[in-house]
Amino acid sequence: MASSVSPVQNLARVLLGAALAFAGTGHLTFARQDFQAQVPDSLPLNQDFVVLASGVVEIGMGAALIGLPRQRVTVGWIMAAFFVAVFPGNISQYLTHADAFGLDTDRKRLIRLFFQPVLVAWALWSTGAWAARKNRD
């Protein structure tokens, strides 16, 4: 059974969903080239395909976070997994010194790495996914 969430958590869930939908739209339009800087060269897929596909996923996940509140726990775990899955792209951007999104120094790119765990925590907290897991044990 899913644990209840506070109004603040619900607001945080909706804000995360809106941010993801916006970022996903960026993948498909105005920030497409910047997102390519985060695709590791070692990934055996076309960079533009990866950016477009991940953009579609982000739009879908953002919509699910907002529009499927009864499935919020499941969506929270999936979103957290997505944030973990794309983390190698952030690491790649740091290691290859790729400029994008105003991250034009190694220091800025390094600081950016510390925000990915925040996104994971945000997804799990705002959806009540972590609390639901703890209550299940």
Side-chain angles (χ1 to χ4, degrees):
M1 176 184 218
S3 62
S4 62
V5 293
S6 71
V8 173
Q9 285 173 287
N10 272 322
L11 177 62
R13 176 180 51 82
V14 170
L15 289 174
L16 181 58
L20 285 167
F22 178 77
T25 301
H27 279 248
L28 306 179
T29 58
F30 62 90
R32 193 165 162 180
Q33 190 169 11
D34 279 335
F35 279 110
Q36 289 179 9
Q38 295 180 326
V39 179
D41 290 332
S42 60
L43 193 64
L45 297 169
N46 176 277
Q47 286 185 335
D48 198 42
F49 170 78
V50 172
V51 169
L52 293 172
S54 60
V56 170
V57 169
E58 284 190 5
I59 292 168
M61 292 304 305
L65 279 169
I66 295 168
L68 300 174
R70 290 186 178 158
Q71 302 300 319
R72 64 182 162 69
V73 170
T74 300
V75 173
W77 283 109
I78 293 169
M79 198 68 257
F82 176 79
F83 288 139
V84 170
V86 300
F87 188 58
N90 301 104
I91 295 170
S92 174
Q93 184 179 6
Y94 173 71
L95 294 175
T96 61
H97 315 284
D99 295 346
F101 304 110
L103 303 175
D104 54 4
T105 66
D106 284 343
R107 181 177 183 192
K108 289 178 183 177
R109 288 184 283 269
L110 180 64
I111 291 169
R112 165 63 180 91
L113 294 177
F114 292 96
F115 285 98
Q116 203 70 13
V118 172
L119 290 172
V120 172
W122 187 354
L124 296 175
W125 173 77
S126 70
T127 60
W130 189 252
R133 169 75 179 177
K134 286 174 48 179
N135 290 339
R136 197 175 63 136
D137 292 339

